[in-house]
Amino acid sequence: MNYWLMKSEPDVFGIDHLKDMPKQTEHWDGVRNYQARNMMRDQMKKGDLVFFYHSNCKEPGVVGIMEVVKEGYPDFTSWNPGSKYYDPKSTEENPRWFMVDIKFKRKLKRTITLTELKQQPGLEEMPLIRRGNRLSIMPVSRQEWDIILGLE
DNA sequence: GCCAACGTTGGC
DNA sequence: GCCAACGTTGGC
């Protein structure tokens, strides 16, 4: 089993949105970055656990845990001209973008803030805390996962 | 709201 | 195939 971290802006789609979805499940659409796409398409497996990270907000940090419930499949918003994620270069015959389905598991008791993560030994290698890194989906090692959960 | 860092686009 | 210009991300 693998561990991951996915970023989302809480004003757009936060952990409470996910929690309130039918079956507490939603497709993770709108990712338009090739590195992140490749991870969803090729590497994320059913049962993998994922940290939900709130970005671009007052208190950026890890807020909860979710689970991959459906493995990579084409992001249909990419071929819907009415969607803000529309990409004319992506078609049903030759999809360019992929997504996974994720299910809410639980919220952390509190937000583990980016500030704390930066100060925590053992997390130095995470792309998350490197300045200027914009990757919205990233792998988390077992050790990193345990360190972060240990801060809860 | 600012702006640094980065990815993508497109002219040549 | 290079690289400048541009758009986006995301912390602060």
Side-chain angles (χ1 to χ4, degrees):
Chain A
M1 182 177 66
N2 294 309
Y3 298 94
W4 305 92
L5 180 146
M6 294 168 116
K7 298 180 187 173
S8 185
E9 301 186 21
D11 293 343
V12 180
F13 188 81
I15 187 144
D16 288 326
H17 293 107
L18 179 62
K19 192 181 169 204
D20 292 340
M21 294 300 291
K23 296 204 265 181
Q24 300 192 316
T25 299
E26 180 61 307
H27 45 266
W28 203 264
D29 60 12
V31 172
R32 297 291 178 267
N33 168 283
Y34 289 103
Q35 236 183 310
R37 175 203 69 180
N38 293 347
M39 286 187 268
M40 289 200 290
R41 189 188 58 189
D42 307 329
Q43 292 179 261
M44 298 185 79
K45 297 298 173 195
K46 216 169 162 176
D48 285 359
L49 294 178
V50 186
F51 279 135
F52 197 127
Y53 178 90
H54 280 175
S55 69
N56 203 13
C57 58
K58 199 170 172 192
E59 194 177 47
V62 176
V63 294
I65 296 175
M66 47 199 181
E67 179 184 350
V68 178
V69 292
K70 181 173 179 179
E71 295 175 10
Y73 63 106
D75 181 344
F76 49 77
T77 64
S78 69
W79 56 65
N80 172 9
S83 169
K84 65 172 175 171
Y85 300 127
Y86 178 59
D87 179 354
K89 291 174 185 156
S90 181
T91 63
E92 288 191 56
E93 296 72 34
N94 189 16
R96 171 174 294 208
W97 304 111
F98 286 73
M99 59 188 175
V100 297
D101 284 359
I102 41 116
K103 182 174 168 61
F104 174 86
K105 276 190 81 80
R106 71 176 180 91
K107 285 169 86 163
L108 300 188
K109 297 187 202 98
R110 62 183 192 87
T111 300
I112 312 292
T113 64
L114 178 62
T115 312
E116 286 176 82
L117 298 175
K118 281 179 171 170
Q119 291 165 354
Q120 179 62 38
L123 303 180
E124 297 86 353
E125 298 302 312
M126 291 187 77
L128 182 68
I129 63 175
R130 289 210 299 269
R131 183 177 169 76
N133 195 286
R134 294 160 50 186
L135 201 54
S136 65
I137 300 175
M138 67 191 73
V140 176
S141 75
R142 177 61 200 263
Q143 289 80 358
E144 289 162 347
W145 182 272
D146 290 342
I147 290 172
I148 294 170
L149 269 191
L151 293 170
E152 189 181 0

